[in-house]
Amino acid sequence: MSPKVQSKGSKAKDPQPSTQENLPPPEANAEAIHFLNSLRQEELLLLFFSETLVMVSDTGEPQGELTIEVQRGQYKDKSGVITYVPFVHASSRGFVDKTLCGSSLLAYLSWKLEVVKQQSQEFIKFHILPMEQKTSLLKQDDQLLMTRMVKEGEEVKTEVTFFPRPSIEGFVSQAANLVLLRVMAWRHTVPSNARFLALDTEGKLCYSTYQALGSQTIQVGHQQVEVFIVEQTVHSEQGIPMSCQFYLLPDGHLAKRIQVGSPGCCMITKVPILREEDDIEPSPVFKKKPLVWEEDLELYSRFLDRKEELRISHNSYLRQHPEAQALISDFLLFLLLRQPADVVTFAAEYFGPFAKRHPPTPALRSSNRPSPFRELEPERSEA
């Protein structure tokens, strides 16, 4: 399913037919999709940190600064629902051949590094014809909306593209790429033969591949550190491939970045404190022990206190109701004199006359003595 494109601008020319448009849209392969699906939230949380690199020229002179920050952010969708997702903020500002340039990137991603919302901006302040480019990506239901604005001097071109969801499976945005590189460094592996999707400099979908170039020891300040080198290549269908090499520390920190063909690079000036995976100790298992409360001083003390409270309460009640003690004494005396075989029935017959619902005792006793126990009321038949 091909993306839908809408263009407008102050001096936009009519689009010319191209043989590229007849080609099928690029698709990510199974290896790339499997690698993205293998990402776990617990793993990404270990890669949340900020870092700063210095932009240096081929002669080693500082030309600017690159800052990358990945943290947990709150994203509020159009319905007002707030979710906690990875938030990426990157910015750079410096000089290339004495010309001011810079970029900024803000993005919210899912835990599988899918784009939720991303905004990027790049500019070059040429004296004659300054250039600026803004790109916005926004997830909308089952599609991805891209708005791209290119300004060259006074000329402004705006392009709106809708990517259906199936066509962007395996897509890695600029922000997702920064997090994905940290994952590769943490795992010390690059998915073999994986072919992802990315956007080229013209905002067109194309293939993106990663290749492991092995490990190398580099000098950072007064220290030597071992780095894992990953090369990313964006295979534009309309231009030459663009490659960038990333020198990564074991915990995902970026030590050096080189864009192939560029005279300068970005690198750190001080080795950061490397993070290590926390060893999660198993929860202790406590065996269930029988409770012998008589041997527990606190429980036994509570028992004695409660026993004394009940004794005082009972004695107080009997003093206030002497008839209760007299009634029980008479029953015990009568019980010992008669010594019946069925004590329960004898007690029911003895205390029966005290019941409110007990029928009056007939003047002449019959041989068919009624039961001393109260009968249950018969169930009412339904009408």
Side-chain angles (χ1 to χ4, degrees):
M1 188 177 295
S2 302
K4 298 180 181 179
V5 182
Q6 301 175 1
S7 301
K8 58 182 179 179
S10 58
K11 296 182 181 180
K13 298 180 180 180
D14 296 334
Q16 299 295 327
S18 171
T19 57
Q20 298 288 348
E21 296 179 358
N22 299 326
L23 297 176
E27 295 181 356
N29 61 7
E31 290 79 4
I33 296 174
H34 175 73
F35 190 82
L36 293 176
N37 290 334
S38 70
L39 301 177
R40 297 177 292 107
Q41 180 175 343
E42 297 79 7
E43 181 181 32
L44 296 183
L45 289 174
L46 296 172
L47 307 176
F48 285 6
F49 53 82
S50 60
E51 54 188 347
T52 301
L53 292 85
V54 177
M55 302 167 60
V56 296
S57 63
D58 53 348
T59 59
E61 298 179 1
Q63 300 291 319
E65 191 175 78
L66 169 64
T67 301
I68 303 173
E69 181 180 9
V70 182
Q71 63 181 5
R72 189 180 184 187
Q74 293 184 1
Y75 178 73
K76 186 176 182 180
D77 60 15
K78 59 183 179 181
S79 60
V81 179
I82 297 177
T83 55
Y84 292 91
V85 295
F87 172 70
V88 180
H89 179 209
S91 63
S92 66
R93 190 178 181 89
F95 291 88
V96 176
D97 295 331
K98 299 182 180 181
T99 301
L100 179 64
C101 61
S103 65
S104 64
L105 175 67
L106 290 172
Y108 293 92
L109 306 172
S110 72
W111 293 104
K112 297 299 181 182
L113 300 188
E114 297 174 334
V115 177
V116 178
K117 182 179 180 181
Q118 175 178 296
Q119 293 178 337
S120 62
Q121 178 185 11
E122 299 177 3
F123 68 88
I124 302 177
K125 298 294 185 180
F126 290 121
H127 296 289
I128 300 177
L129 191 68
M131 299 179 61
E132 183 181 7
Q133 175 178 302
K134 293 183 179 180
T135 305
S136 172
L137 298 175
L138 181 62
K139 180 181 178 183
Q140 290 185 343
D141 300 327
D142 59 346
Q143 62 183 1
L144 183 67
L145 169 63
M146 181 184 73
T147 304
R148 185 169 176 267
M149 185 276 291
V150 179
K151 183 178 180 181
E152 298 180 0
E154 299 298 328
E155 181 181 359
V156 179
K157 296 181 182 180
T158 304
E159 183 179 75
V160 179
T161 308
F162 295 91
F163 297 100
R165 183 177 179 86
S167 68
I168 58 171
E169 189 175 11
F171 171 68
V172 177
S173 65
Q174 288 178 283
N177 175 62
L178 298 175
V179 183
L180 193 62
L181 288 167
R182 293 184 178 186
V183 174
M184 294 178 183
W186 184 265
R187 297 183 181 182
H188 201 77
T189 184
V190 174
S192 177
N193 300 321
R195 189 172 64 243
F196 299 86
L197 295 180
L199 292 175
D200 60 12
T201 55
E202 299 298 324
K204 307 297 181 182
L205 270 182
C206 62
Y207 294 120
S208 174
T209 58
Y210 297 86
Q211 181 182 0
L213 302 183
S215 299
Q216 182 180 334
T217 301
I218 63 173
Q219 187 78 22
V220 178
H222 300 288
Q223 292 181 258
Q224 287 189 342
V225 292
E226 185 175 352
V227 293
F228 179 59
I229 307 175
V230 178
E231 182 178 70
Q232 181 202 16
T233 302
V234 178
H235 305 269
S236 175
E237 295 184 355
Q238 299 179 353
I240 61 174
M242 294 186 61
S243 298
C244 195
Q245 296 178 356
F246 300 88
Y247 294 65
L248 301 160
L249 297 174
D251 67 341
H253 276 89
L254 182 59
K256 189 177 182 181
R257 189 191 72 174
I258 299 177
Q259 184 170 339
V260 178
S262 175
C265 68
C266 298
M267 61 185 303
I268 57 175
T269 58
K270 181 180 179 182
V271 178
I273 299 177
L274 300 183
R275 300 186 58 179
E276 297 181 357
E277 187 173 6
D278 297 332
D279 295 330
I280 303 177
E281 298 181 358
S283 302
V285 178
F286 299 98
K287 295 182 179 180
K288 189 175 181 180
K289 297 182 179 180
L291 178 61
V292 184
W293 63 270
E294 295 91 342
E295 298 179 0
D296 191 293
L297 295 180
E298 183 177 358
L299 291 179
Y300 190 68
S301 175
R302 291 184 180 182
F303 166 74
L304 294 178
D305 293 342
R306 180 59 178 163
K307 183 179 179 180
E308 182 64 18
E309 290 178 3
L310 292 176
R311 187 188 66 80
I312 295 175
S313 176
H314 295 165
N315 291 338
S316 175
Y317 179 81
L318 291 177
R319 285 195 302 270
Q320 295 175 7
H321 300 277
E323 66 276 10
Q325 188 170 1
L327 183 62
I328 296 174
S329 298
D330 290 345
F331 168 72
L332 291 175
L333 178 61
F334 199 43
L335 178 68
L336 295 175
L337 290 175
R338 292 293 184 89
Q339 297 183 1
D342 190 350
V343 177
V344 175
T345 303
F346 179 80
E349 293 177 347
Y350 181 85
F351 289 104
F354 296 96
K356 293 182 179 180
R357 297 183 180 181
H358 189 270
T361 304
L364 300 176
R365 294 182 178 272
S366 65
S367 60
N368 187 15
R369 299 177 62 186
S371 173
F373 300 101
R374 181 172 61 86
E375 296 182 358
L376 296 176
E377 296 181 0
E379 297 181 359
R380 298 179 181 180
S381 59
E382 296 181 359

